[in-house]
Amino acid sequence: MKRFLLLSALLLALFMPGIFAQGEVSPQPIDREATGPTRQLYRYLRDKVWGRQVLAGCQARWDYNTTDADGIRERAGKYPAVNIFDFQHFRQRNLNYLAPTAKQWNDAGGIVGFIWHWSVPVDPELTPKDGFAFYTPTGAEGRRPGTLFSARRAVQEGTPEQRIINENLDTIVRYLLHYQEQGIPILWRPFHEAAGNTNRGGKAWFWWGNDGAETFKKLYLYAQRYLMQRGVHNLIYIWTSELDDDDWYPGDEYVDIVARDQYRVASDHGSFKQQFDLLRSKYPTKMLALAECDVVPSAAAMEQDEARWLFVAPWTTPYVFSRQNDDAFWKQFLGEKLILTRDEVNRAGTYRLDIDHASGIYAKGERAVVTCHAEEVPLDSVRVRVYLNNMLSREFCLLPSTQDFTALELALDSTCAVSVELQERHGKPASIGYVVAPEGFRAGYEEPADLMQYWADQKQQLKALPMQVKTTPLVVPAQYQGKYVCQDVEINCLGPAPVRGYMAKPVGAKKKSLPIIILCRAAGVSGYWCRCQVGECVGNAAMGGGALSLDLNAHGMLNGQKDDYYRMLEIARAAEIELTREEWYRLYLSSGHILP
C-alpha cells in the first residue's frame, strides 16, 4: 500500500497540471559555451522566475524599437520586463541594428528578446526584383506577395537557396556578436509557428515550414550550428509550438524554452490553462512562455489556474493597446505581486562582504583582507570599488571561480576611512567599511566654544518633552513580505518639525534584541538622497542577522509624497520666500503645493 501511495504521488507530481519540480529543468542552457551573462540570465529565469512569477513582456513594432514598451510605461507607470525586437527589416539600410537600443534596455535591467520574420526573395529565380516575403502564398492569403522559397534546398550544400540564407545569417551574426560584446544575453525565438496548419489539414504560413517537419528540424539545427560555429553564444533558444506539432520539435538538447503564440480564443484575460497544461505534459523539462497573444492573461487567472507562464508578451498593434488591454488593465496588471516589471528584474546573485578584523579597526601598515561570500558561483564579472575618505581610489573587475573569494587586500600607512563596494552587473551593491588608525582623525572645523553647553541644553529640553509617536503600517517589497515589517513613523521634537521617517524590523523580533541602523538623510528637498525609501529601510533591516532600521527624512518633510510635492518645496526654497521658519513649515505642510 505504501509503495502504491508513493507511486501515485510521483505520478501526480509529474502529470498533474500546475505541479512540477524545479529540478526537472536543466540547470544550464543548451549552449555549453554560453557566455557568463547568458548563463546568468538562464539561471535567473529557471531558479527565480519559472513557476513562481511571470515576466511582463511586449514586442517591438516589427523591427528595432521600444515603442510599445514606452507606451506601457506612459499608461501604467512601469516598463515591462521583456522587450522583444524583430530582425524583420534587417535589409533596410536606414534601420541601424547596431544602435544602442538593446544595450540601453539591457543596462536599465530589462531582458532583451529577438524574433526574426525572415524574408527571402519572392521571385522563383531568387532575384530581388519582386521584393521579399516570409509568408508562403497560403499564409499571405492574397493580401501580399508570398514566396515559394524552398526550405529543403536551403539546407542542401551548394544550392542558391543555401547561399542566400548563409548571407542573411552572416548579417544577423554580425548583430548578435555586437550585442554579445556588450554583454547582452538574448531570448532568441527563430522560425516561430513553423507548422502552421499542416497538422490540421492545412499548410504552413511561413517559408521555413513549407517542406514539412523533418526539413524544418534540419533548418532549425542548421541555423543553430551556423551561429554557434561563428562564435554566437549569447542566445537562449526558444521553439514555438502549435500544440499538435510534436513531430516538429527539434529535441530537448536544442531547445531551452517552449513558447506558445495564442490568438482568437474567447478570453476575458483567462490564463490559457489548457494550452499551458498540454505543453507542460509534452515538454516537462522546459520552461513555457506565452510569446505572443492578443488578450493578456490576468495575474489572478494565472495564479488561480497555476498556469504561470515564464513571460507573457502581447503582439504589437492592434492588440497591445486594445479594448481589452486598456490603460486600466495595464496599470493593474503591472502592479500585481505575481508580475515582474523591468525595475524588479534581479539577475544578479546575493553577496556578503566580511573583513578579517571584527572591530573594523586597523593599525597603520596592517593588511586588511575583504572576503566575499556569494550564494552561487558568479556567472558574470563583479566590479569592486574602493573609496578612501569618500573618494574613489580604485576600481577593477573580478571573475571568481568559487563562491567564496578575496575581493581586496590592502595596507595603508596613514589614517583613513575605507569603504569597499562590490557589485555584479544588474545587481545591487554589497559594501563594507573599516578605518585605519582612527586616532589620527581630526575635526575639520574648530569646535565652537559653546558647543557642549548648547548640546547639553538641547538634550535637557528634549528630555522634558513628552514623547508622542504616530505609526502607520506600510507595504514592504515582495521579497521581504512575511519576514519584515515597516512603518511610517512621526515623533514630536523640538521646533516646528517632528522627526519623520520609516522604521523596519524582522517579524517577531524580541524587544531589545536587535542592533540599530540609523540612516539620516542628507539636507535637501527634492533629491532622492533626502527622502526616505521603504525598500532601503527594509533592506537595512535585513542586513546580517536582522536589525532595527530607521530611515529619517531631512527637515521633517512628509514621507512618501508624489514628486510634485518635493519639487514645489524646492521652488519655494529657490525663490527665497521671506517667511519665518514656522510660517514656511506650516505652508509646505498645508497642501504640498507651494508657489513662489
Side-chain angles (χ1 to χ4, degrees):
M1 183 65 179
K2 289 182 180 179
R3 189 173 298 175
F4 172 77
L5 290 174
L6 178 59
L7 178 60
S8 300
L10 288 171
L11 289 172
L12 280 172
L14 286 172
F15 298 113
M16 186 173 178
I19 297 178
F20 52 93
Q22 200 69 22
E24 292 176 356
V25 177
S26 171
Q28 299 292 336
I30 59 105
D31 184 356
R32 293 299 178 251
E33 296 182 54
T35 64
T38 306
R39 287 181 289 131
Q40 178 196 53
L41 174 59
Y42 181 89
R43 186 166 70 183
Y44 168 70
L45 297 175
R46 175 189 180 272
D47 295 347
K48 296 184 179 180
V49 181
W50 173 233
R52 295 174 173 84
Q53 292 187 275
V54 177
L55 293 158
C58 72
Q59 316 287 332
R61 292 208 173 178
W62 307 289
D63 50 54
Y64 189 53
N65 61 74
T66 58
T67 303
D68 286 348
D70 295 336
I72 292 172
R73 169 66 174 80
E74 291 171 4
R75 289 163 171 79
K78 291 187 175 183
Y79 279 105
V82 184
N83 193 80
I84 302 169
F85 301 101
D86 194 338
F87 280 131
Q88 179 175 167
H89 295 141
F90 72 103
R91 288 190 178 87
Q92 291 188 6
R93 294 183 179 180
N94 63 340
L95 182 59
N96 182 16
Y97 281 100
L98 298 179
T101 311
K103 185 177 188 302
Q104 290 167 354
W105 184 264
N106 180 75
D107 290 351
I111 296 172
V112 172
F114 263 97
I115 191 175
W116 187 7
H117 285 89
W118 188 348
S119 56
V120 291
V122 171
D123 176 22
E125 300 299 320
L126 304 181
T127 72
K129 71 180 183 68
D130 294 330
F132 302 87
F134 47 85
Y135 280 113
T136 63
T138 303
E141 297 179 341
R143 295 170 296 175
R144 68 203 84 179
T147 179
L148 293 173
F149 189 86
S150 172
R152 178 179 53 81
R153 286 179 55 80
V155 293
Q156 291 178 355
E157 290 296 323
T159 63
E161 288 85 353
Q162 187 175 81
R163 176 183 55 80
I164 288 173
I165 69 166
N166 286 355
E167 290 174 354
N168 294 175
L169 283 168
D170 286 340
T171 299
I172 302 305
V173 164
R174 183 163 66 96
Y175 297 141
L176 295 177
L177 288 177
H178 174 72
Y179 306 141
Q180 181 170 299
E181 290 169 2
Q182 295 177 322
I184 303 172
I186 293 171
L187 299 178
W188 175 240
R189 194 165 71 98
F191 306 123
H192 67 295
E193 302 172 15
N197 285 324
T198 56
N199 288 350
R200 296 185 291 275
K203 295 184 178 181
W205 302 319
F206 306 121
W207 69 262
W208 47 84
N210 65 1
D211 284 324
E214 293 307 312
T215 295
F216 164 73
K217 288 187 285 189
K218 291 178 182 177
L219 179 65
Y220 179 98
L221 299 182
Y222 179 88
Q224 188 174 91
R225 286 194 298 268
Y226 197 97
L227 297 177
M228 289 184 181
Q229 288 170 0
R230 282 151 184 80
V232 176
H233 298 293
N234 61 329
L235 306 181
I236 294 173
Y237 286 85
I238 303 177
W239 174 76
T240 310
S241 173
E242 292 301 304
L243 301 181
D244 59 358
D245 55 352
D246 301 4
D247 50 335
W248 293 69
Y249 182 54
D252 284 350
E253 63 269 43
Y254 306 111
V255 174
D256 290 307
I257 297 168
V258 171
R260 173 69 183 145
D261 294 353
Q262 184 61 64
Y263 296 92
R264 302 179 187 89
V265 171
S267 169
D268 184 19
H269 299 292
S271 68
F272 303 115
K273 173 179 171 59
Q274 281 186 314
Q275 293 88 330
F276 183 91
D277 290 346
L278 180 61
L279 292 175
R280 187 65 197 160
S281 67
K282 290 174 179 287
Y283 310 106
T285 63
K286 300 300 173 183
M287 297 177 277
L288 307 177
L290 189 61
E292 293 180 28
C293 61
D294 43 13
V295 181
V296 180
S298 71
M302 289 188 283
E303 194 85 73
Q304 179 178 335
D305 294 341
E306 293 189 351
R308 302 178 189 91
W309 300 93
L310 180 67
F311 65 85
V312 295
W315 189 246
T316 182
T317 183
Y319 302 118
V320 63
F321 304 126
S322 64
R323 177 180 59 82
Q324 288 172 293
N325 302 328
D326 59 14
D327 294 4
F329 171 78
W330 276 114
K331 191 163 188 177
Q332 178 179 355
F333 181 71
L334 296 189
E336 296 284 356
K337 181 180 177 181
L338 179 71
I339 306 303
L340 290 170
T341 53
R342 191 175 76 175
D343 60 302
E344 296 171 318
V345 172
N346 182 16
R347 309 177 214 174
T350 301
Y351 299 89
R352 188 185 78 252
L353 297 179
D354 284 329
I355 49 177
D356 56 337
H357 276 13
S359 67
I361 300 174
Y362 292 82
K364 291 180 181 179
E366 186 177 7
R367 182 170 295 276
V369 179
V370 179
T371 55
C372 181
H373 309 277
E375 61 179 355
E376 294 182 275
V377 177
L379 296 176
D380 199 0
S381 61
V382 293
R383 180 176 58 193
V384 179
R385 289 192 179 105
V386 183
Y387 295 86
L388 303 183
N389 292 332
N390 293 326
M391 299 292 292
L392 181 62
S393 172
R394 295 176 60 188
E395 183 173 5
F396 55 92
C397 288
L398 299 172
L399 185 57
S401 58
T402 59
Q403 288 178 251
D404 300 322
F405 56 92
T406 299
L408 178 73
E409 292 187 44
L410 183 65
L412 297 173
D413 293 324
S414 60
T415 295
C416 191
V418 182
S419 176
V420 182
E421 182 179 280
L422 182 143
Q423 185 175 18
E424 187 178 346
R425 194 192 328 242
H426 305 301
K428 294 183 178 180
S431 60
I432 198 167
Y434 62 90
V435 292
V436 177
E439 66 278 3
F441 285 117
R442 297 291 180 266
Y445 297 91
E446 184 178 346
E447 181 180 303
D450 61 347
L451 174 63
M452 298 313 295
Q453 183 59 51
Y454 171 81
W455 184 238
D457 291 344
Q458 290 292 302
K459 288 195 292 183
Q460 187 175 359
Q461 293 179 48
L462 186 61
K463 187 175 181 180
L465 184 69
M467 181 178 289
Q468 298 173 356
V469 181
K470 297 179 182 178
T471 61
T472 304
L474 298 170
V475 177
V476 301
Q479 66 267 34
Y480 298 117
Q481 289 179 5
K483 301 176 182 177
Y484 298 87
V485 292
C486 188
Q487 296 175 316
D488 185 307
V489 177
E490 180 177 305
I491 307 172
N492 64 322
C493 194
L494 300 178
V499 174
R500 286 191 172 93
Y502 296 144
M503 180 178 71
K505 63 179 181 179
V507 171
K510 295 181 180 179
K511 191 174 181 179
K512 296 184 179 180
S513 66
L514 300 172
I516 300 175
I517 298 174
I518 301 178
L519 174 58
C520 296
R521 292 285 169 172
V525 175
S526 65
Y528 69 89
W529 56 85
C530 52
R531 301 193 221 169
C532 299
Q533 306 290 336
V534 173
E536 190 166 357
C537 185
V538 181
N540 287 340
M543 292 177 66
L548 178 65
S549 169
L550 290 172
D551 188 347
L552 302 180
N553 235 331
H555 310 300
M557 298 183 302
L558 293 175
N559 301 321
Q561 302 300 299
K562 293 182 178 179
D563 287 346
D564 284 348
Y565 169 80
Y566 300 100
R567 281 196 292 266
M568 296 306 277
L569 291 183
E570 191 70 36
I571 291 172
R573 292 184 66 217
E576 297 181 352
I577 297 175
E578 295 296 332
L579 297 174
T580 66
R581 181 179 178 186
E582 290 77 8
E583 289 171 331
W584 181 83
Y585 179 72
R586 284 197 299 271
L587 179 61
Y588 84 71
L589 285 190
S590 63
S591 66
H593 296 284
I594 300 174
L595 297 176

